[in-house]
C-alpha cells in the first residue's frame, strides 16, 4: 500500500507515543512495554491498522504489535488509536526484513500476514512475506507452538505460499480457499481494509494457519 506521501507523517510517527522508537533496544523485553505476561501477537505489513485495532479491542488479554514500513500508511493506524486508545496495542515503523533484530527467539506467540504485497516478478520472490526467506526470519522469533496466519485474495500468491511451506519446514494446520464461506475458519474473523475491498468485489479470500 503506497499512500501519497503525507507531509509531516515522519515527524508525527517519531513523536507518537503509540509507535515504539528504536525497537531493537526492546529485543527480548517486549513484555515490559505492556507490563504483563500476556501473549504477544504481531501483524507484519499492517497497512492502516483496521485489523489489528479490531483484534486488540476484541482480545484485551492479548498484546498486539503492528509493523508497517511506510510512515504515511502507519499514520492512519496511529489516528485510529488517537480516536480510540487501547492499552494492548503498539506500532513499529520498520521493515520486516529486520524482524530478528527486533524480537528475540520465542518472544512472539502468533504472526499475522494480511494481503501481503504479491511481488509478481520471479526475481522478487524473496521479498514476498510468505516466502521461505521470510518464514526463516519468522521461525527465529516465534515460540515453538506458535502459529502464523495468512490471508489474501491473490490466488497466485496463495499457491506460492503453500508451496513454500515444506521447503521452509512448516506445515499447514488449516487451509481454506473461501474463508468467508468456511464456517469454522471465519469465526471471529476481523476484516482488513483490503479484505473489505476485495471481498465486496466478489473475490474469494484464501487463508492458511501454519506451524512448524
Ligand atoms: N494488511 C493490510 C490490509 O490487509 O489491508 C495492508 C495490505 S497492503 C497490500 C501491504 C502492506 O504491507 C503495505 O502497507 C506495505 O507497506 C506493507 N509491507 C510490505 N512489505 C513490508 C515489509 N517488508 N515490512 C513492513 N511492511 C511491509
Amino acid at each position: 500500500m503506497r499512500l501519497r506521501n503525507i507531509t509531516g507523517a515522519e515527524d508525527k510517527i517519531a513523536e507518537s507515543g503509540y509507535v515504539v522508537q528504536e525497537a531493537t533496544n526492546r529485543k527480548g523485553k517486549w513484555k515490559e512495554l505492556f507490563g504483563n505476561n500476556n501473549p504477544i501477537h504481531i501483524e507484519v505489513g499492517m497497512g492502516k491498522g483496521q485489523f489489528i485495532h479490531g483484534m486488540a479491542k476484541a482480545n484485551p488479554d492479548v498484546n498486539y504489535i503492528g509493523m508497517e514500513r511506510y510512515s504515511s500508511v502507519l499514520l492512519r493506524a496511529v489516528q485510529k488509536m488517537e480516536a480510540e486508545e487501547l492499552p494492548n496495542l503498539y506500532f513499529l515503523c520498520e521493515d520486516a526484513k529486520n524482524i530478528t533484530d527486533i524480537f528475540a527467539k520465542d518472544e512472539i506467540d502468533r504472526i499475522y500476514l494480511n494481503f501481503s504485497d504479491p511481488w509478481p516478478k520471479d526475481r522478487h520472490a524473496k521479498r514476498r512475506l510468505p516466502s521461505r526467506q521470510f518464514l526463516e526470519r519468522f521461525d527465529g522469533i516465534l515460540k515453538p507452538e506458535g502459529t502464523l496466519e495468512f490471508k489474501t485474495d491473490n490466488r497466485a500468491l496463495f499457491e506460492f505460499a503453500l508451496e513454500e511451506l515444506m521447503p521452509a519446514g512448516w506445515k499447514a494446520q488449516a487451509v481454506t480457499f473461501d474463508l468467508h464461506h468456511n464456517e469454522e475458519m471465519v469465526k471471529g474473523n476481523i476484516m482488513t481494509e483490503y479484505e473489505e475491498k476485495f471481498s465486496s468485489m466478489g473475490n474469494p479470500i484464501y487463508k492458511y494457519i501454519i506451524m512448524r
Side-chain angles (χ1 to χ4, degrees):
M1 185 185 300
R2 280 282 206 163
L3 278 191
R4 222 170 2 96
N5 253 350
I6 297 174
T7 318
E10 264 177 43
D11 291 345
K12 285 182 191 141
I13 292 305
E15 287 159 12
S16 171
Y18 304 126
V19 182
V20 178
Q21 315 294 335
E22 300 188 20
T24 51
N25 292 340
R26 296 253 174 205
K27 185 172 176 175
K29 298 182 282 195
W30 285 94
K31 279 190 186 306
E32 292 171 17
L33 177 69
F34 295 99
N36 60 47
N37 280 323
N38 291 342
I40 301 177
H41 296 184
I42 65 172
E43 184 185 3
V44 179
M46 166 192 71
K48 299 185 208 165
Q50 173 171 302
F51 171 82
I52 202 162
H53 196 273
M55 291 294 282
K57 193 173 168 182
N59 303 289
D61 296 340
V62 176
N63 297 321
Y64 290 90
I65 300 170
M67 181 181 277
E68 167 56 51
R69 66 175 158 186
Y70 291 119
S71 54
S72 296
V73 183
L74 176 54
L75 185 59
R76 302 298 185 204
V78 166
Q79 287 164 343
K80 285 191 182 70
M81 273 285 266
E82 286 167 355
E84 188 175 10
E85 193 175 60
L86 299 171
N88 57 332
L89 174 59
Y90 283 92
F91 304 119
L92 303 178
C93 194
E94 300 282 351
D95 191 316
K97 71 175 191 255
N98 304 319
I99 203 161
T100 53
D101 299 330
I102 295 171
F103 299 108
K105 189 166 160 31
D106 300 348
E107 193 161 28
I108 300 303
D109 295 82
R110 188 177 300 166
I111 298 172
Y112 292 102
L113 308 177
N114 291 316
F115 295 78
S116 306
D117 294 330
W119 293 106
K121 290 187 179 139
D122 282 349
R123 70 173 192 277
H124 291 149
K126 61 177 186 288
R127 297 186 191 174
R128 299 172 193 153
L129 293 180
S131 66
R132 65 191 75 183
Q133 289 83 0
F134 270 99
L135 289 179
E136 192 178 334
R137 294 178 177 110
F138 300 145
D139 178 45
I141 63 169
L142 196 62
K143 290 206 172 118
E145 68 280 13
T147 51
L148 183 152
E149 303 195 5
F150 170 52
K151 294 194 275 193
T152 183
D153 72 319
N154 185 314
R155 178 91 187 204
L157 180 64
F158 191 62
E159 284 173 357
F160 166 82
L162 288 171
E163 282 162 16
E164 290 293 271
L165 295 184
M166 226 203 321
W170 293 64
K171 53 182 183 277
Q173 198 179 71
V175 179
T176 177
F177 286 76
D178 192 356
L179 174 65
H180 293 183
H181 295 100
N182 183 309
E183 213 177 305
E184 203 47 48
M185 287 181 76
V186 80
K187 275 184 201 152
N189 184 52
I190 290 191
M191 290 219 261
T192 79
E193 278 93 351
Y194 272 61
E195 186 172 355
E196 273 188 357
K197 181 173 166 195
F198 291 116
S199 63
S200 73
M201 290 161 58
N203 295 8
I205 304 302
Y206 312 116
K207 176 172 178 172
Y208 71 38
I209 303 174
I210 60 169
M211 54 195 294
R212 271 100 22 112

